Structure formats: structure tokens, C-alpha cells
Amino acid sequence: MRRPARAILLLGMILCVPAMAAPAEGPALYAPGRYLVDSGATKVHFHVKALLGSYDGDFLVPEGAVTIDAARPDRAAVDIVFPVEKLTTGDASIDAMLKGGSFFDGEHFPTVHFAAADAPLADSRADTAIPGELTMHGQTRPVTLSIRLIGVTPDEAPGLSVLHFAGALSVERSQFGMGFARPFVSDKVDLTIDAIFRRP
């Protein structure tokens, strides 16, 4: 083979390497399996405006999982439950009010539940809309989460045995039977999500 032809072939191989080695996005990022929620690291923060200031707090200690079926590697089933008892604002009196009969009524409705049976897989390039159902205060309504893959937690080995997501959602609490104190406390509740899932 003449030198110019060999040089062109070598150049072509070099130019192809970055494309082949580029990090994958989308379904290729996710190995099939069941990823359990990290209860200690995952939380949903809520923010509600009020006539004087606002209310902020967190839903903590969830249970549940994201499951990716090998037969449908581009979709996932999501099932996450937050106990109302673990809701916290940092103020015991406000916590008691929110857990009581005027709002969440934790005695009769002890959990907040999100489920999505056919969720598209999020990636790190843009937000992904995840349609699902949210159940609070005994009421179930369709909602859409906006989710982005943050990646692997920094202290873990390479690979995606650990998935880290950030997301957001806004709901109207009156649609879930919690209209108490309107208009002095806003009907709109803004939720921000920080979630970590680990594959056993």
C-alpha cells in the first residue's frame, strides 16, 4: 500500500475513535434490573407560599424502586412511597398541623405515593417528562414529573449501579382534598426532587 493511501486510512481510523468512544446517552446508560431507592439519601423538598412568608419542608425516608425490564430497555416502572410521618419542616408545631386532619391526615392516609408504569428513561442532556399518578390524602391524580439524570454519585465506582436524579413537580393541593387555609396559604405546591437509586 502506498504511503498516501496508508496515511488516509490511518487518519480515518483516528477520526472514528472519538465517535465510538463517546459516552452513551439514553437507554444504553441503564442496565436492566431493579434499582432500590436509597432511603437515607433521597428526599422531596416542598415550598408553599403564604400571605406572610412561606412553608418549606421535606418528605424523607421513602421506599420503592425503579425497575427496567430487559424486554423493554427503553422504559421503566417507578413505584415510590413516602411516609407522611417522616414529613418535616424543622418546626414541630407546623409538622403536627401538616400531618393532622386539616392537611395530610396521616392517621387515615399514612403515605404519599408516586407510580409510573411506562416511564421514559431520563438522560443528562435535557429534562425528561415522566407521566404518572400521585396519591395524597386518599386522592389519586395524574401528574408529570420533570426529571434529569445527574449521574453516578461521586463516591461510587464507575458504572451505573447507582443512579442519581434531580427533578421538579408542581401540584394544586386542593385537587387532593387539602384546600384548608386558602387563600392565605397558596394552593400551589412546588416540589423539587433529589433521588438516588442503587441496584443490589
Side-chain angles (χ1 to χ4, degrees):
M1 185 182 292
R2 294 181 180 179
R3 288 184 179 178
R6 285 170 27 191
I8 292 172
L9 178 60
L10 180 61
L11 179 60
M13 292 174 65
I14 291 171
L15 290 175
C16 285
V17 169
M20 292 186 295
E25 290 285 359
L29 284 171
Y30 298 86
R34 191 164 185 259
Y35 296 79
L36 300 179
V37 65
D38 186 328
S39 296
T42 298
K43 70 177 180 180
V44 173
H45 182 80
F46 63 85
H47 174 80
V48 185
K49 293 181 180 178
L51 188 62
L52 298 174
S54 62
Y55 293 101
D56 287 87
D58 298 299
F59 293 99
L60 304 174
V61 198
E63 295 181 354
V66 169
T67 304
I68 302 170
D69 189 339
R72 303 188 69 224
D74 62 336
R75 293 279 162 169
V78 183
D79 195 293
I80 307 294
V81 174
F82 286 85
V84 170
E85 180 58 33
K86 298 299 181 181
L87 177 156
T88 179
T89 64
D91 184 315
S93 62
I94 294 176
D95 291 355
M97 177 184 70
L98 292 176
K99 295 173 187 178
S102 297
F103 288 95
F104 284 96
D105 193 4
E107 181 179 355
H108 296 99
F109 309 108
T111 61
V112 174
H113 180 207
F114 175 79
D118 192 38
L121 299 182
D123 63 36
S124 59
R125 295 171 295 187
D127 292 343
T128 298
I130 307 292
E133 291 187 333
L134 182 66
T135 301
M136 296 192 302
H137 196 246
Q139 304 287 325
T140 300
R141 298 285 183 268
V143 297
T144 300
L145 295 178
S146 178
I147 294 290
R148 183 178 296 224
L149 176 67
I150 302 301
V152 180
T153 50
D155 58 343
E156 297 293 338
L160 276 175
S161 59
V162 177
L163 303 175
H164 186 186
F165 298 96
L169 169 69
S170 293
V171 299
E172 293 181 358
R173 59 189 177 89
S174 61
Q175 291 188 344
F176 296 87
M178 293 187 287
F180 180 76
R182 291 185 307 159
F184 305 105
V185 178
S186 176
D187 195 23
K188 181 184 176 185
V189 181
D190 295 317
L191 304 167
T192 54
I193 300 151
D194 188 22
I196 293 177
F197 295 86
R198 301 178 184 273
R199 191 175 58 179

